[in-house]
Amino acid sequence: MWKGRFTQDTSSLVEQFGESITYDWRLYAHDVAGSIAHARAQSMAGLLTDEEFSIIEKGLIEIQADIEAGKFEFKTSLEDIHMNIEAELTNRIGPTGAKLHAARSRNDQVATDTRLYCRTEIDLLIAACSHLQGALLDRAQAYADIVIPGYTHLQRGQPVTVGHHLLAYVEMLERDKSRLADCRQRLNICPLGSGALAGSTINLDREAIAKELDFDGVTTNSMDAIADRDHIAELLFVIALCGAHLSRLSEDLILWCSAEFGFVTLSDAHTTGSSLMPQKKNPDVCELTRGKTGRLVGNLMNLLVAIKGLPLTYNRDLQEDKPPLFDSIDTLKLTLAVNTEMIAAMEMNQDACEGAACDPMLLATDLADYLVKKGVPFRNAHELVGKAVAESIASKTPLDQLDLPALDEAFGSDASEVFSLKKALEARTNPGAPSIENVKSQITRWKKLLT
Ligand code: ARG
């Protein structure tokens, strides 16, 4: 492609070191779409006859079909997807193919291709998030009123329901989807026409190209357009954060399926055994989800470090944007899909959940609230209940079986009525709180939103 200036062949080590075709081949459909839009603009500008345009378009479509049929031979000597396709086009249609690269550079080409690629993948990721939300919602509905302890510091705190707990993850995924959509909107402008870095003396209709490729507009600074990898960084962040959410879900499930908790049973299809210990049933999907999140975070760091020291505009370092991008997208897609399947098939164990939730200590705060409603300042109420808790521990008497009025006159004879899980949940009616009624209306809201 640059034989004019050079007298020596590229060293084969340099070829091996610099090729990206082994991974950027997957931009082929976007590269073809970009080239067709570019060629159409060339023909509108009088650079190609209608016939030449048709030949180029047909050639590109055939190349795409061959790639899809596995009949295309990618060459590392041609470095990347852009040169592989262009060289093959010229190979097939002759000198007309050599006209295609006028008024563009691989720099604006790769910037365009990756935006198109991210756009397509974002749509798939949003759909995959919705599927997982659907599975969580289904389980939340099935177990809407099973009470479990809610934890802080992994210590039992206050009662919640399985429905409320699972819907927390539906909320997180909704934010992930909104971040994906936001990222998609910001990236959807067309850099094609920015050339190597300074546009071109051949002025093609950039707006028409953008329109054909479904972009919302064109970039407005050629140098920024070439140097910019913000959309990749953003997407890697959004993916890493979504991964972090799934990792937290995994951690909950890993705890819940331990013998110590016993809240949940994962299906045989989504767990693995041990080659040594016959009794084992391991939550590998959860552990792998947690583990792969490290990669997602690493991929974000990978890109940020790669771009932080780069002067404007294109530097070859930027070719390193794609392995982390592809890896994060592949990883998250598979993670979402396998978790969707696993969640859909999991079963909560009502007895174990209720066994844990009947710990009267979960209602210590409600007891303090009871005193507050009788006019005791909260700090004093907290101390009085704290003393009752200490007495319960020292005397090995469950909190709900203590003679509270004997401990302090602030407790009335009705104090023990606080120790009803049903009442405790019924009372939590403020928006966002886990009354069964609230949880059920949230389920209805999510059902509408997700269909
Ligand atoms: N394969 C390159 C990349 O992914 C395409 C751009 C090459 N541009 C250049 N000036 N060498 O970044």
Side-chain angles (χ1 to χ4, degrees), residues 21 66-67 70-76 78 84 88 92:
I21 189 62
D66 285 355
I67 294 174
K71 287 193 288 193
F72 190 93
E73 195 203 331
F74 293 112
K75 298 193 182 83
T76 48
L78 288 167
N84 267 272
E88 180 60 18
R92 291 185 185 190

Side-chain angles (χ1 to χ4, degrees), residues 160-210:
V160 294
T161 67
V162 173
H164 196 60
H165 194 123
L166 294 179
L167 287 184
Y169 289 102
V170 176
E171 299 272 350
M172 288 177 229
L173 286 161
E174 190 65 17
R175 290 197 297 276
D176 292 328
K177 280 160 59 182
S178 117
R179 269 183 286 268
L180 285 165
D182 186 46
C183 174
R184 187 195 198 286
Q185 189 209 324
R186 199 166 11 260
L187 69 72
N188 201 30
I189 45 170
C190 186
L192 211 59
S194 303
L197 80 157
S200 171
T201 57
I202 304 165
N203 291 312
L204 302 183
D205 185 346
R206 294 192 61 205
E207 296 286 351
I209 295 175

